[in-house]
């Protein structure tokens, strides 16, 4: 089969609204050379349910364990697990994936510990979400947004306020020097917006806020620096717009992400909340900011989706070359319950045999009836 005829599905079943931005970017890169569909667990943006998408798929790019299981049960020949950011949490066994794509070399060990075979792991870089791009002219972007602030702009997602408490975070932001202004992304949370309206004047911040809406990426592109959680959705967004990061105090499960982000030179870690202001000040020093921006550019985030697409096609070609076509479709995955009667339908998503011949059924019924009469 020619690789341009491949049907590739991109799935995420977690119900995470931020995942749509990633699946859109990956599907776009795949569709540039091969038909691609993308979908979510409860439905698909192109073509119906995940089961329908997977019915004729040659390959699936999956962002969560549930979607990997669906693809395996559907008999999809090639299943590629994608971890598009620095969060390597995965509920199931990554050994089920034919290939695992990660954002940074330092995350390889973490996914191997989760079952991935080392030879199946490929570093493709963090995937830039669709709709998030650097400003071509930062000064012009500020003027277009109506911002007359000349100092650096620090973007703070609402998740930071929620996780650490608005007062605690705002106290630290109020201690930041360098004439910094602040952009708050409140997402779809009206309570967070009202909290900021009430508390920002108390702390004397120069600040603006915006909501999650179409085109919100243009506000992210105004940021010189982003404050974020080590494994949060804000990490790939910040990298996509070219902004280095200051990481909020990490939890125990954040170690892999923190190590990789610091090794890449794109983030500084505030080890406790009390050092957040000091860490932001250090990151906003002109030399440090320039160094962070250079490190972000070195990741070539804008090309990551294309590298994902290239890795999927390469995996398919390798599969063909080695003759590893896998088992035929329609075989059970694990223990499959069989129908207990002719009227019972097979489980959803399973392949089913054609309906039995009606004349044959009628003949069997007659023979059973005659046998029963003789026995009586």
């Amino acid at each position: 089969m020619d690789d341009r005829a491949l049907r590739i599905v991109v799935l995420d079943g977690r119900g995470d609204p931020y995942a749509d931005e990633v699946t859109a970017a990956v599907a776009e890169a795949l569709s540039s050379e091969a038909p691609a569909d993308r979908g979510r667990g409860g439905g698909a943006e192109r073509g119906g349910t995940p089961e329908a998408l997977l019915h004729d798929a040659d390959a699936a790019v999956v962002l969560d364990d549930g979607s990997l299981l669906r693809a395996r049960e559907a008999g999809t020949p090639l299943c590629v697990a994608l971890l598009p950011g620095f969060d390597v949490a995965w509920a199931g066994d990554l050994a089920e994936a034919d290939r695992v794509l990660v954002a940074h070399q330092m995350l390889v060990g973490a996914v191997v510990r989760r079952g991935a075979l080392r030879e199946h792991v490929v570093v493709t870089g963090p995937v830039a979400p669709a709709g998030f791009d650097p400003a071509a002219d930062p000064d012009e972007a500020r003027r277009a947004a109506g911002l007359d602030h000349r100092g650096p702009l620090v973007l703070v997602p609402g998740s930071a306020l929620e996780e650490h408490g608005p007062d605690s975070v705002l106290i630290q932001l109020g201690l930041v020097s360098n004439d910094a202004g602040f952009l708050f992304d409140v997402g779809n949370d009206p309570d967070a917006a009202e909290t900021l309206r009430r508390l920002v004047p108390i702390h004397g911040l120069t600040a603006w806020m915006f909501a999650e809406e179409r085109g919100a990426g243009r506000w992210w592109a105004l940021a010189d620096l982003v404050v974020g959680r080590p494994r949060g959705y804000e990490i790939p967004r910040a990298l996509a717009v070219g902004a280095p990061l200051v990481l909020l105090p990490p939890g125990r499960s954040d170690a892999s992400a923190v190590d990789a982000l610091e090794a890449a030179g794109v983030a500084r870690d505030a080890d406790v909340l009390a050092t957040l202001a000091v860490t932001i000040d250090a990151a906003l020093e002109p030399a440090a900011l320039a160094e962070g921006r250079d490190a972000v550019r070195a990741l070539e985030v804008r090309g990551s989706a294309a590298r994902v697409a290239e890795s999927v096609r390469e995996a398919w070609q390798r599969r063909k070359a080695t003759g590893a076509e896998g088992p035929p479709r329609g075989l059970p995955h694990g223990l499959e319950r069989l129908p207990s009667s002719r009227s019972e339908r097979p489980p959803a998503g399973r392949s089913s045999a054609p309906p039995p011949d009606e004349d044959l059924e009628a003949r069997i019924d007659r023979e059973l009836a005659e046998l029963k009469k003789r026995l009586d």
Side-chain angles (χ1 to χ4, degrees), residues 35 47 117 126 147 216 261 268 330:
L117 297 179
L147 291 180
L261 287 161
R268 292 169 178 251

Side-chain angles (χ1 to χ4, degrees), residues 66-161:
S67 296
L68 177 57
L69 181 61
R70 278 196 178 100
R72 280 297 182 210
E73 288 181 339
T76 306
L78 179 68
C79 296
V80 177
L82 170 63
L83 290 85
F86 288 79
D87 183 359
V88 293
W90 192 270
D93 188 354
L94 279 167
E96 288 284 327
D98 298 304
R99 181 163 287 196
V100 180
L101 310 181
V102 297
H104 193 270
Q105 183 66 36
M106 288 197 66
L107 300 175
V108 172
V111 297
V112 169
R113 289 191 292 275
R114 286 162 174 77
L117 297 179
R118 177 61 188 85
E119 59 269 26
H120 290 173
V121 183
V122 177
V123 178
T124 50
V127 177
F132 290 80
D133 300 285
D137 184 337
D139 292 333
E140 177 56 34
R142 287 196 187 194
R143 284 192 292 271
L147 291 180
D148 57 0
H149 185 71
R150 295 185 177 276
L153 289 171
V154 180
L155 191 146
V156 183
S159 56
L161 302 175

